[in-house]
Amino acid sequence: MLGAIVGDIVGSVYEWHNIKTKEFPLFRDDCFFTDDTVMTCAVAEAVMNGGERDDFIDAMKKYGRMYPDAGYGGRFRRWLFSEDRSSYNSYGNGSAMRVSPCAWFMDCGFCARTGMWPSRGRARAELSAEVTHNHPEGIKGAMATADAIFMCRYFFGGFHGDYEEPIDNDPAECKKRIKNHIEGEYGYDLSKTLDEIRPAYKFNETCQETVPQAIIAFLESTDFEDAIRNAISLGGDSDTLAAITGSIAEAAYGIPEWIKAKAISYLDEPLKAVLRRWKAGYPGNWKKET
């Protein structure tokens, strides 16, 4: 999930000051974490606490109230500070930027052994969206992001069973299969290039106008840093675009140690504590999910 946090921090200074180039300092002194990081950590804690509906709601309200000025959307902010625990039919991109911990909990080994998706793990990803973003587009954005992360972990990580040939040494084929799945399963158009998208792309907080662009930024990338630069170069909702792209790119490429250390340096102690608990528990000390 650190990939989402890196993307959020790098993109934080460009959300309201868009740039249309990949040439920029990756980290600036005035970078900061936003609601994307806060809610990613909240989802991680919810997953570690059991991943049930109340776990997601409790964690989101807990961390949202701890960081009241992190930059939440208006409807989400009202939900955070109310006693209401019901969903409000959002299709904002917040469901996609926070979902990555759910995708890391999904068991690649189960898929390799059986050739089947880890259905309970996917259900947890869907639930992480549904507690607020229960509009079909809100759920779709989260699920497409979670699937892309899981497929990157599976293909780039070299997981395979007797029923298929390994393709982890062929990044182009890995990305082709991810692209085909996302287009076929969710109907997103991933045919445009970044150069085609970039000139007219503007700020948009919906899943349907953020998630496809974020996935394309990954598909055109050569490594983790390049993926983040691709996402920022589009403009738009820069921190969230880069958070989604970063969460996928981490699963494919990993994150260079210097980038990890730099991103973590922007976090405060409560958020660092979530990362430590996550690292200590994943994957060996957690119950395997199917």
Side-chain angles (χ1 to χ4, degrees), residues 27-290:
F27 292 101
R28 291 178 9 184
D29 289 344
D30 56 343
C31 285
F32 56 97
F33 66 83
T34 80
D35 58 317
D36 297 21
T37 291
V38 174
M39 285 301 117
T40 297
C41 288
V43 167
E45 180 163 294
V47 168
M48 291 186 288
N49 288 347
E52 301 298 331
R53 177 177 294 272
D54 283 345
D55 297 317
F56 287 110
I57 294 171
D58 290 343
M60 289 179 193
K61 285 183 177 282
K62 169 188 170 181
Y63 283 93
R65 293 171 184 183
M66 285 173 63
Y67 300 95
D69 301 317
Y72 311 104
R75 294 175 71 194
F76 186 73
R77 182 182 175 83
R78 287 193 292 274
W79 178 85
L80 281 178
F81 292 95
S82 73
E83 297 308 312
D84 188 1
R85 298 174 68 85
S86 59
S87 308
Y88 55 89
N89 204 38
S90 174
Y91 51 83
N93 54 29
S95 61
M97 59 77 167
R98 71 193 187 202
V99 75
S100 57
C102 299
W104 281 94
F105 201 82
M106 293 161 65
D107 187 359
C108 289
F110 173 82
C111 186
R113 293 190 303 273
T114 66
M116 299 168 58
W117 281 87
S119 58
R120 286 185 61 197
R122 292 184 87 210
R124 180 175 280 108
E126 183 172 357
L127 184 58
S128 78
E130 282 184 348
V131 294
T132 52
H133 292 52
N134 59 326
H135 187 283
E137 291 291 346
I139 295 171
K140 183 169 81 170
M143 294 305 296
T145 302
D147 280 7
I149 295 168
F150 176 76
M151 292 180 77
C152 282
R153 291 179 55 224
Y154 186 84
F155 289 134
F156 285 87
F159 288 94
H160 57 89
D162 294 336
Y163 63 93
E164 65 179 0
E165 293 295 323
I167 60 167
D168 50 296
N169 61 347
D170 187 351
E173 179 62 21
C174 293
K175 290 180 179 180
K176 178 182 176 182
R177 295 193 188 187
I178 293 165
K179 177 178 181 289
N180 289 344
H181 170 78
I182 297 299
E183 288 185 322
E185 184 75 11
Y186 299 105
Y188 285 144
D189 179 7
L190 304 181
S191 65
K192 291 184 178 181
T193 66
L194 294 178
D195 286 341
E196 291 171 332
I197 296 168
R198 190 178 291 112
Y201 189 67
K202 298 180 180 179
F203 186 90
N204 193 301
E205 293 182 304
T206 66
C207 273
Q208 51 269 46
E209 292 297 331
T210 306
V211 174
Q213 292 79 3
I215 295 174
I216 292 169
F218 160 71
L219 293 174
E220 287 196 23
S221 66
T222 57
D223 56 31
F224 180 82
E225 181 176 340
D226 189 57
I228 297 296
R229 292 185 181 279
N230 281 346
I232 299 296
S233 77
L234 289 176
D237 190 1
S238 297
D239 58 337
T240 300
L241 261 172
I244 297 168
T245 299
S247 68
I248 300 168
E250 176 187 14
Y253 307 120
I255 306 174
E257 289 300 322
W258 78 268
I259 293 179
K260 289 182 184 180
K262 186 65 175 177
I264 291 171
S265 74
Y266 289 89
L267 304 181
D268 65 3
E269 183 53 33
L271 298 180
K272 289 178 182 178
V274 176
L275 293 181
R276 287 195 298 269
R277 182 183 172 200
W278 180 268
K279 184 177 181 180
Y282 181 84
N285 296 332
W286 293 357
K287 179 182 178 182
K288 288 291 185 182
E289 279 294 323
T290 59

